[in-house]
Amino acid sequence: MSKGIGSLLPVLPSYWAFRNIGGKGPLPLNFTLSLLYACNSRCKTCNVYERKVKIFSVEEYDRFLSTVGRVPYWFTLSGGEPFIRKDIVDIVKVVYERCRPKIINIPHNGTFPDTTAGRVEQMARACPESEIIINVSLDELGPKHDEIRQTKDNFEMATRTFESLKALDVPNLTVGIHTVISKFNVENFPNVYRGLTSMNPDSYITEIAEERDELQTLGTGITPTIDQYGRAIDFLLSQVRTKRFDGVARITQSFRLEYYKLAKQAVREKRQTTPCYAGWASCQISPDGDVWPCCIRGESAGSLRENGYDFPAIWRGERMEGIRRSIRNRECACPLANASYTNIMLSPTALAKAGVNYLKLSAAAMLRSHDGDGVAPGSIAGPTGAGPAPS
C-alpha cells in the first residue's frame, strides 16, 4: 500500500509490547485534535456547541507539538466545526512543520462554500508530503439533511462546498462524504447512499450516531437499533465491494470494510471486538488541552497547559497508566471509527483482512480499467451507474 503504510510495520511491535508488557512506550501514531466545541449547525445528533472552553491558540499547538516530533502518522482535526476557526490553515501548517504526518483529515459541515476551497488549497500546497482529506458531512438528501442538521440551506451549501473542493487541482487532496447513521436516517440509508455516491466523492464513509458525554447527547436516543444498523451496514458492504477506489481512498476503504464488520459486531455484542489501543497508539486532545485516550472515554490524563505543554510527560504519567489498565481490562467498548483504524492496524488478524480487502479493491480497479467502463480514477460508480471520506 502507498502513503507509507509499509513504513509503519517495523514500529508496530513496540505498541504490542507497550500494551501487553508496559513500560514507557512510544508516542501515539494517531492524534485527534479537537480544535473547538463551537458549531454553526444544531444537529439532532450532536449538542457539542453547548460546551464552552478557552481554546488552544496556534502558539499553544506549536509548543505542544514540538514535544511530539515525527512519530504520528495520522492527524484528525475535529470540532465542533473546524472551519469556524479563522486560523485553521495556520494550525495545519504547525501540524505539518512539527510532525510531518502522512495524513491530515478534517471533517466539515460544508457551510462555508465561498471560502473553504481556497483555505484547503493553501493547506494542501503547504503540506506537500501529507495527504489532506476533507470529509464533507451529509446525512440525508435535500431538505431532509437540513432537518437533521437544523440549519437552513445546509444541503445546498454543503454540495457547493463539495463541488468547489473537487474542482481543485492539487495532487495530495482527497475529498470525501461522511454520513452519520442515526435513528433519523437509518431506514432511508440505501437511498441516501445512492444519492450521495452519485456525486462521485473520492471516498464515502459512515459512522454510527453514539450517545457521548463529549457531544452532550447522553440519554437522547439518537442511536439506531442493532437490527437497523446491521441492515444498513450489510447494504453498505454489498455496495462498497463492487466500487472502484484509487490512491489513498483505496487504503482507507480497505480499512473501512473491516471497520464496518467490527463496528456491527461491537454494537451487537457490546465488547471490544479487537484489543483497543486508545491510550497507547491513539489519543485525543480536547479544545482546551486535556489529553484523553479517546473522545468516548473523555477522561483527562492531564492538562497540557498545566504541564508546560509537555505531551510525553502526560502520556507516560500515572494517570494515563490508570486509564490504560481500565481499557486493557475491557471495561469499555465502542465502535469509534477513528481509534478503530489504529486498532485494526495493530491486530494481526484484522490487518491481514484489511490487506485482503486492499488486494480485492485493486483487482476490481484493474478489471474495470481493462473493461473500459469509463469510471474516472478515484471515483465510485453509484448503483444507478452514475458516475465518495475519517475518522
Side-chain angles (χ1 to χ4, degrees):
M1 299 184 211
S2 62
K3 294 294 172 187
I5 285 282
S7 67
L8 288 176
L9 296 179
V11 307
L12 298 185
S14 64
Y15 290 96
W16 298 330
F18 187 19
R19 191 181 192 280
N20 294 302
I21 300 174
K24 295 303 182 183
L27 299 184
L29 294 170
N30 180 354
F31 275 79
T32 296
L33 308 183
S34 186
L35 302 186
L36 74 174
Y37 291 131
C39 189
N40 58 336
S41 294
R42 293 295 181 264
C43 305
K44 292 181 177 180
T45 56
C46 177
N47 299 315
V48 74
Y49 61 87
E50 295 178 351
R51 303 186 69 163
K52 311 296 182 185
V53 297
K54 180 183 177 183
I55 61 176
F56 253 34
S57 66
V58 175
E59 292 74 22
E60 286 180 299
Y61 280 115
D62 186 57
R63 290 184 64 183
F64 137 58
L65 292 172
S66 70
T67 73
V68 172
R70 298 193 176 184
V71 175
Y73 181 88
W74 183 298
F75 272 84
T76 295
L77 276 56
S78 70
E81 171 44 53
F83 281 88
I84 286 179
R85 290 198 60 153
K86 297 187 186 326
D87 55 3
I88 187 172
V89 175
D90 295 324
I91 294 171
V92 169
K93 289 179 179 179
V94 166
V95 168
Y96 182 76
E97 289 165 4
R98 290 296 188 182
C99 301
R100 286 291 195 278
K102 293 296 182 183
I103 293 174
I104 300 174
N105 171 58
I106 309 175
H108 180 31
N109 66 13
T111 56
F112 304 110
D114 298 325
T115 59
T116 294
R119 300 168 85 186
V120 170
E121 184 170 15
Q122 290 181 59
M123 295 175 192
R125 297 197 184 284
C127 308
E129 296 177 28
S130 294
E131 186 76 12
I132 305 297
I133 302 176
I134 307 296
N135 285 315
V136 179
S137 299
L138 288 167
D139 296 336
E140 255 285 3
L141 305 174
K144 290 183 179 180
H145 176 72
D146 297 351
E147 183 180 345
I148 292 175
R149 294 280 165 155
Q150 300 190 100
T151 306
K152 187 176 184 296
D153 298 326
N154 196 152
F155 187 81
E156 185 272 335
M157 289 187 289
T159 51
R160 280 175 54 202
T161 298
F162 173 83
E163 289 166 359
S164 67
L165 289 169
K166 286 288 287 181
L168 291 175
D169 184 20
V170 285
N172 58 325
L173 175 64
T174 295
V175 183
I177 291 176
H178 173 274
T179 296
V180 175
I181 300 178
S182 69
K183 73 173 185 179
F184 305 109
N185 62 0
V186 65
E187 295 295 352
N188 194 41
F189 179 71
N191 290 327
V192 173
Y193 172 88
R194 293 185 182 101
L196 296 180
T197 56
S198 72
M199 295 167 60
N200 290 332
D202 296 326
S203 66
Y204 177 76
I205 63 175
T206 73
E207 193 162 359
I208 189 171
E210 296 180 85
E211 296 187 17
R212 302 183 195 170
D213 180 61
E214 180 207 17
L215 304 181
Q216 308 279 27
T217 54
L218 296 177
T220 58
I222 58 175
T223 306
T225 68
I226 293 171
D227 289 341
Q228 287 174 323
Y229 184 63
R231 288 194 295 271
I233 291 302
D234 287 344
F235 170 82
L236 184 62
L237 288 170
S238 71
Q239 299 299 310
V240 172
R241 290 191 182 103
T242 67
K243 309 309 173 189
R244 175 176 173 177
F245 304 89
D246 287 315
V248 72
R250 188 182 300 170
I251 298 172
T252 56
Q253 290 298 334
S254 301
F255 277 75
R256 276 276 163 176
L257 281 168
E258 187 59 22
Y259 161 71
Y260 290 136
K261 291 182 284 186
L262 293 174
K264 178 181 172 183
Q265 185 180 354
V267 169
R268 184 174 298 278
E269 300 179 11
K270 295 181 171 37
R271 67 178 182 86
Q272 291 182 21
T273 50
T274 58
C276 183
Y277 279 82
W280 287 275
S282 61
C283 72
Q284 180 152 341
I285 310 299
S286 73
D288 54 344
D290 278 349
V291 178
W292 299 346
C294 68
C295 62
I296 301 297
R297 300 267 311 201
E299 186 175 349
S300 177
S303 165
L304 287 165
R305 282 177 172 150
E306 295 173 4
N307 287 272
Y309 303 93
D310 187 344
F311 178 82
I314 298 173
W315 191 246
R316 292 163 179 159
E318 292 183 8
R319 287 170 65 181
M320 182 58 86
E321 183 51 40
I323 295 170
R324 290 189 187 110
R325 281 195 296 271
S326 173
I327 297 171
R328 188 188 298 113
N329 291 336
R330 298 179 181 250
E331 294 173 6
C332 57
C334 73
L336 179 65
N338 194 300
S340 293
Y341 273 115
T342 311
N343 296 343
I344 291 169
M345 189 160 40
L346 286 157
S347 165
T349 300
L351 181 61
K353 291 179 179 179
V356 171
N357 293 336
Y358 181 83
L359 293 175
K360 288 180 178 179
L361 291 174
S362 299
M366 185 178 299
L367 181 61
R368 286 177 175 270
S369 296
H370 288 320
D371 288 346
D373 63 358
V375 179
S379 68
I380 301 178
T384 60
S391 65

